[in-house]
Amino acid sequence: MVPHLVTALTGPINELEQRILESTPVIERWFRLEWMEHTPPFYSSVDVRNAGFKLAPVDTNLYPGAWNHLTPEMMPLAVQAAMAAIEKICPEAKNLLLVPENRTDIFYLANLAQLQRIFYQAGLNVRLGSLSNDIKAPTTFDLPGGESVMLEPLIRSKRRLGLKHFDPCTILLNNDLSAGAPGILEDLHEQYLLPPLHAGWGIRRKSNHFKAYEEVAKRFGKLLGMDPWLITPMFNQCGAVNFAEQSGLECLRSNTDALLARVRRKYKEYGINEKPFVVIKADNSHAALGQLTVRDAKELDDAWFHARAKATAGHAIGEVIIQEGVLTNERINAAVAEPVVYMMDRYVVGGFYRVHADRSTDESLAAPGASFVPLAFEQSAQLPQPGMKPGASVPNRFYMYGVIGRLAMLSAAYELEATDPDAESYD
Amino acid sequence: MVPHLVTALTGPINELEQRILESTPVIERWFRLEWMEHTPPFYSSVDVRNAGFKLAPVDTNLYPGAWNHLTPEMMPLAVQAAMAAIEKICPEAKNLLLVPENRTDIFYLANLAQLQRIFYQAGLNVRLGSLSNDIKAPTTFDLPGGESVMLEPLIRSKRRLGLKHFDPCTILLNNDLSAGAPGILEDLHEQYLLPPLHAGWGIRRKSNHFKAYEEVAKRFGKLLGMDPWLITPMFNQCGAVNFAEQSGLECLRSNTDALLARVRRKYKEYGINEKPFVVIKADNSHAALGQLTVRDAKELDDAWFHARAKATAGHAIGEVIIQEGVLTNERINAAVAEPVVYMMDRYVVGGFYRVHADRSTDESLAAPGASFVPLAFEQSAQLPQPGMKPGASVPNRFYMYGVIGRLAMLSAAYELEATDPDAESYD
């Protein structure tokens, strides 16, 4: 299920990893049964942090970009998964409309070209409809490799959204709607709009996601007979924090303190000799507030912290999530690295490492200056190994990342069900 | 959908290939709609011959072996497809019973180890139950790479088939049942038996398959606006031929003559300057009669032909199919080669070249002395090409093999529906 990719891990396989690898059939069957009851998000990417003693998702993106960082070898997997997804939604579809972010930098355009390629190969005519007011006519952007991407203005009729001479069955958003859903996307009852509008960051909350993840991890932990904390980032939340007006800081202080204490107890229980830390971030967006690493609640009173918060928040922020920090002990060429797992429908289709040379193991790497290192396929997967025990083969260390990625993705499915404004209530 | 593999083709893309490549979204959508109405075989492999001017399947195997010749990079594709197949059949399954051929040579055992690996990674406990009387207790066979394969005796209860302490939901045959279905596999109404018993060579007929293929190719040709002959091997059949008793030879002569004349007309129509030939083979098995290449009906009267027929047939043969011979113009290191396309459920998951140094372009390569060359993934698929037109990229020349393979696989689905003894009749 999960492609065998070369991870940066080189040390011995620890207990957690061993448990997950040994339980493959049990884990895959469990996911199979989950997907009978729950619909996976159309596509997703999950940032995973591996501290060695613990392995947890820290962010789940339902509008993944950077598909261009997947290697060519992974394309057939993505295409196959895209076919499975399309078959379920709209098998008779000819056309797919992709609605991107309002970005035209070459990195993002390369991502769009890759998505277009995937869905073309899956059997769809794919065109790009922009929400930007700058796109008033079909506009072609050239990419360095010789490829090009054409953005076209969206055309909305009373009941449908499309382009000139292009009426899609499905509309796929690659735009996280941070500013809320624009009217042009509302009331499209005749077409499939994916992900649904309530998955946009205007409505979505990280705390809902990680609450769902806690439940999923608890059941998964029970399945494997292990402490769910080993795969779960604990968190607290505060409703209204404003650094400019200095309001809500008491909530932030007390929750940071309480969470650090909980982490400390867990570290003690497992004999972990590391300094606990938490990460403070906005509950409703992945970008508005930079992620602030805090090792002691007292830091919240530092002038330095406030300066940082204001600088990265940009404006007064509202709801805040305080998340247990998970160290990453992976490195590529001495730079701190964290894996990002890419999924299409229920399938893991690839991944890459996000690498940041200027960050330490307890800081967010999703920051300017980050680079991406594609994960290559493990070439030696089935070659004989000298001295290998019969029946043994090189373990797929990417497998556990694929499991954690899918647990987060399953949690997103639960989260979207729980937050669906159109859900029928059976109370 | 179809992995981008390096083919032996290096010449310019011809008209047929161009037509197929350009029609990707139309073709994929057509397959999508077909799969809404028809169930693909659980797994299959198709021998394809590419004459340049024409491209056609010559054999469709519903119990494919040689999975070990797929490269490690293709495993995730196979696993993903296996997951999709299992989900549809028996999502709550824990156990899969694989019933192999009665062969214990290392080549075949390596195939079994690979199948076991695929279904393990798809989330199933896989064990092997042998039909052979030689396996009276669990028996382990070591493979050169350090792996091993364990064959166990089958245990049949009144209603179910299994092994000691192993009760499977699904039984997967990797045994083509040439000698007919053994009683131990009959009346298993509580378990899924795949492929169904009437797919075995004891019952299956090549002529039924290629009749179904003619229909499928006719509709596909209409879709793409092309002559279906360009992708179809024409055929005739004879009911009872016996070389030992010299009976049925008149039918063979007249049908060979008639078919050669049809091929000649087609060659003339397209200005093809090659010598037509036909291939004579048993209608009900892929192995009992070696494949005999005939370039003139007069050859059938040669003592030499009869010696060959008797030598390869082994015994008196019955029904015979006379199939238009398709040249293969692909070569690997000067040896004649033909691609074999592997599919799991509706997905193309890989392929390899069958290569035979001692055979010519109009002979069967599926003969002792054949070797296998795995198809590697095209590494340059998405790299910039100097002087490339915007929007262009290296074409996936394996794509057309994947299309032809799937047309044959779809034909097998039609064939199995038409020959199902348990099908309800609506006449």
Side-chain angles (χ1 to χ4, degrees):
Chain A
M1 158 70 212
V2 175
H4 193 154
L5 306 176
V6 181
T7 57
L9 301 176
T10 49
I13 293 183
N14 67 25
E15 200 188 322
L16 172 60
E17 198 174 346
Q18 189 66 35
R19 176 95 45 107
I20 289 175
L21 277 169
E22 279 170 4
S23 309
T24 301
V26 171
I27 292 172
E28 297 303 324
R29 177 171 182 265
W30 185 81
F31 276 120
R32 245 187 343 258
L33 296 176
E34 287 293 327
W35 301 134
M36 288 174 75
E37 305 290 333
H38 305 280
T39 304
F42 188 84
Y43 56 6
S44 54
S45 71
V46 175
D47 296 355
V48 175
R49 308 262 297 195
N50 183 5
F53 57 87
K54 142 162 217 171
L55 180 69
V58 295
D59 195 21
T60 302
N61 188 347
L62 299 180
Y63 305 86
W67 285 89
N68 49 311
H69 291 299
L70 300 192
T71 58
E73 289 90 341
M74 292 179 201
M75 281 305 97
L77 267 182
V79 173
Q80 192 171 294
M83 290 189 70
I86 296 292
E87 266 159 26
K88 283 188 300 186
I89 296 161
C90 196
E92 64 285 358
K94 289 181 181 175
N95 298 333
L96 177 79
L97 175 63
L98 188 60
V99 177
E101 299 278 350
N102 294 341
R103 286 172 54 187
T104 54
D105 56 278
I106 55 164
F107 305 106
Y108 187 67
L109 291 172
N111 164 60
L112 294 178
Q114 182 86 312
L115 279 172
Q116 200 163 11
R117 193 182 294 118
I118 290 169
F119 290 105
Y120 174 83
Q121 287 180 23
L124 293 164
N125 301 306
V126 187
R127 283 163 66 178
L128 299 159
S130 176
L131 288 169
S132 165
N133 291 327
D134 297 340
I135 303 297
K136 294 186 168 58
T139 309
T140 300
F141 297 87
D142 287 335
L143 286 172
E147 278 192 311
S148 62
V149 168
M150 185 167 75
L151 298 180
E152 298 179 66
L154 289 167
I155 295 174
R156 172 71 198 245
S157 67
K158 189 161 171 20
R159 307 179 63 86
R160 300 180 74 89
L161 183 68
L163 305 174
K164 199 170 177 182
H165 307 308
F166 190 76
D167 184 32
C169 170
T170 302
I171 301 157
L172 178 61
L173 297 176
N174 196 245
N175 181 316
D176 68 13
L177 308 178
S178 290
I184 198 170
L185 295 179
E186 287 179 342
D187 301 314
L188 292 167
H189 305 302
E190 286 182 0
Q191 292 165 300
Y192 294 92
L193 178 64
L194 296 167
L197 290 180
H198 68 285
W201 275 122
I203 295 170
R204 201 177 164 220
R205 294 290 176 272
K206 289 192 176 73
S207 50
N208 287 332
H209 177 68
F210 284 103
K211 201 182 294 165
Y213 185 84
E214 277 182 352
E215 287 304 313
V216 165
K218 200 177 286 176
R219 292 199 293 110
F220 185 81
K222 205 169 167 186
L223 179 79
L224 261 61
M226 68 178 204
D227 181 353
W229 176 74
L230 296 173
I231 54 169
T232 310
M234 298 188 294
F235 74 98
N236 286 335
Q237 58 191 118
C238 284
V241 175
N242 188 316
F243 292 102
E245 296 176 4
Q246 299 277 307
S247 63
L249 294 186
E250 188 43 48
C251 173
L252 201 57
R253 251 179 238 118
S254 60
N255 275 296
T256 298
D257 216 30
L259 186 59
L260 281 169
R262 284 167 69 199
V263 178
R264 214 169 287 125
R265 275 198 298 278
K266 276 291 179 186
Y267 277 20
K268 201 174 166 193
E269 179 186 337
Y270 284 94
I272 295 159
N273 198 16
E274 300 281 357
K275 192 167 174 55
F277 66 103
V278 299
V279 176
I280 296 173
K281 40 191 176 182
D283 198 11
N284 71 340
S285 163
H286 67 309
L289 174 68
Q291 307 194 358
L292 301 171
T293 295
V294 174
R295 295 167 194 84
D296 189 318
K298 288 199 195 79
E299 288 179 50
L300 297 175
D301 298 318
D302 289 353
W304 177 75
F305 176 82
H306 285 264
R308 254 201 314 165
K310 281 181 208 154
T312 61
H315 50 79
I317 61 164
E319 300 151 72
V320 153
I321 176 172
I322 305 134
Q323 190 176 50
E324 174 189 354
V326 182
L327 290 166
T328 176
N329 71 350
E330 293 194 82
R331 281 191 164 71
I332 289 179
N333 297 332
V336 176
E338 68 186 15
V340 185
V341 179
Y342 272 68
M343 287 160 288
M344 181 83 74
D345 196 80
R346 69 195 66 182
Y347 304 104
V348 176
V349 298
F352 54 74
Y353 275 101
R354 185 184 288 122
V355 180
H356 205 305
D358 304 329
R359 295 285 172 127
S360 64
T361 56
D362 61 359
E363 287 180 304
S364 169
L365 307 184
S371 62
F372 302 97
V373 177
L375 289 165
F377 271 99
E378 171 64 77
Q379 293 293 330
S380 61
Q382 280 145 51
L383 295 182
Q385 301 295 310
M388 189 175 71
K389 271 189 293 182
S393 64
V394 181
N396 181 359
R397 304 191 77 163
F398 186 69
Y399 180 70
M400 61 174 179
Y401 296 140
V403 170
I404 300 299
R406 282 182 289 165
L407 289 176
M409 189 252 285
L410 176 60
S411 308
Y414 278 82
E415 173 201 348
L416 293 179
E417 283 165 20
T419 58
D420 185 353
D422 300 325
E424 290 175 42
S425 170
Y426 298 100
D427 291 341
Chain B
M1 157 70 211
V2 174
H4 192 155
L5 306 176
V6 181
T7 57
L9 302 176
T10 49
I13 292 183
N14 67 26
E15 198 187 323
L16 172 60
E17 198 174 348
Q18 189 65 36
R19 176 94 47 109
I20 288 175
L21 276 169
E22 279 171 2
S23 309
T24 301
V26 172
I27 293 171
E28 297 303 323
R29 176 171 183 265
W30 186 81
F31 276 120
R32 243 183 350 254
L33 296 176
E34 286 292 328
W35 301 134
M36 289 175 75
E37 305 288 332
H38 305 280
T39 304
F42 188 83
Y43 56 5
S44 54
S45 71
V46 175
D47 296 354
V48 175
R49 308 261 298 193
N50 183 5
F53 57 86
K54 139 163 220 170
L55 180 69
V58 295
D59 196 21
T60 302
N61 189 346
L62 299 180
Y63 305 87
W67 285 89
N68 49 309
H69 290 299
L70 300 192
T71 58
E73 289 90 341
M74 293 180 202
M75 281 305 97
L77 267 183
V79 173
Q80 191 170 296
M83 290 189 70
I86 297 290
E87 266 160 26
K88 283 188 299 187
I89 296 160
C90 196
E92 64 285 359
K94 290 181 181 175
N95 299 332
L96 177 79
L97 175 63
L98 188 60
V99 177
E101 299 278 350
N102 293 341
R103 284 171 56 187
T104 54
D105 55 278
I106 55 163
F107 306 106
Y108 187 66
L109 291 173
N111 164 59
L112 295 179
Q114 182 87 312
L115 280 171
Q116 201 162 10
R117 193 181 295 118
I118 290 169
F119 291 105
Y120 174 83
Q121 287 181 22
L124 293 164
N125 301 305
V126 188
R127 283 164 65 178
L128 299 158
S130 176
L131 289 168
S132 165
N133 290 326
D134 297 339
I135 304 296
K136 293 186 170 57
T139 309
T140 299
F141 298 86
D142 288 334
L143 287 172
E147 279 192 311
S148 62
V149 167
M150 185 167 75
L151 299 180
E152 298 179 67
L154 289 166
I155 295 175
R156 173 69 199 246
S157 67
K158 189 159 171 18
R159 308 179 64 85
R160 300 181 73 89
L161 183 68
L163 306 173
K164 199 171 177 181
H165 307 307
F166 189 77
D167 184 33
C169 171
T170 302
I171 301 157
L172 178 61
L173 297 175
N174 196 244
N175 181 315
D176 68 12
L177 308 177
S178 289
I184 198 171
L185 295 179
E186 288 178 343
D187 302 314
L188 291 168
H189 304 303
E190 286 182 0
Q191 292 165 299
Y192 294 92
L193 178 65
L194 297 166
L197 289 180
H198 68 284
W201 277 122
I203 296 171
R204 199 175 164 222
R205 293 290 176 273
K206 288 191 176 74
S207 50
N208 287 332
H209 177 70
F210 284 103
K211 201 183 293 166
Y213 185 85
E214 278 183 352
E215 287 305 312
V216 166
K218 201 177 286 175
R219 291 199 293 111
F220 185 81
K222 204 168 168 184
L223 179 79
L224 262 63
M226 68 177 205
D227 181 353
W229 176 75
L230 296 173
I231 54 169
T232 310
M234 298 188 293
F235 74 98
N236 285 334
Q237 58 190 118
C238 284
V241 175
N242 188 317
F243 292 103
E245 295 175 3
Q246 298 276 309
S247 63
L249 293 186
E250 188 44 48
C251 173
L252 200 57
R253 251 179 237 116
S254 60
N255 275 295
T256 298
D257 216 29
L259 186 58
L260 281 169
R262 283 168 69 199
V263 178
R264 214 168 287 123
R265 277 198 297 277
K266 275 292 180 186
Y267 278 20
K268 201 174 165 193
E269 179 186 336
Y270 284 94
I272 295 159
N273 200 16
E274 300 282 355
K275 193 168 175 55
F277 66 103
V278 298
V279 175
I280 296 173
K281 41 192 177 183
D283 198 10
N284 71 339
S285 162
H286 66 308
L289 174 68
Q291 307 194 357
L292 302 171
T293 295
V294 174
R295 295 168 194 84
D296 189 317
K298 289 199 194 79
E299 287 179 52
L300 297 175
D301 298 317
D302 289 352
W304 177 77
F305 176 82
H306 285 266
R308 256 201 313 165
K310 282 181 208 157
T312 61
H315 51 79
I317 60 162
E319 300 151 72
V320 152
I321 176 172
I322 305 133
Q323 190 176 51
E324 174 188 355
V326 181
L327 290 166
T328 176
N329 72 351
E330 293 194 80
R331 279 191 165 72
I332 289 179
N333 297 333
V336 176
E338 67 187 15
V340 185
V341 179
Y342 272 67
M343 287 158 291
M344 181 83 75
D345 196 81
R346 69 195 66 183
Y347 304 104
V348 176
V349 298
F352 53 75
Y353 276 101
R354 185 184 286 122
V355 179
H356 205 304
D358 304 328
R359 295 286 173 124
S360 63
T361 55
D362 62 359
E363 287 180 306
S364 169
L365 308 184
S371 61
F372 302 97
V373 177
L375 290 165
F377 271 100
E378 172 63 75
Q379 293 293 332
S380 61
Q382 281 147 47
L383 295 182
Q385 301 295 310
M388 188 174 72
K389 269 190 294 183
S393 64
V394 182
N396 180 0
R397 304 191 76 164
F398 187 69
Y399 181 71
M400 62 173 181
Y401 295 140
V403 171
I404 300 299
R406 282 183 289 164
L407 289 175
M409 189 251 285
L410 176 61
S411 308
Y414 278 84
E415 173 201 350
L416 293 180
E417 283 165 19
T419 58
D420 185 353
D422 300 324
E424 289 175 43
S425 169
Y426 298 99
D427 291 342

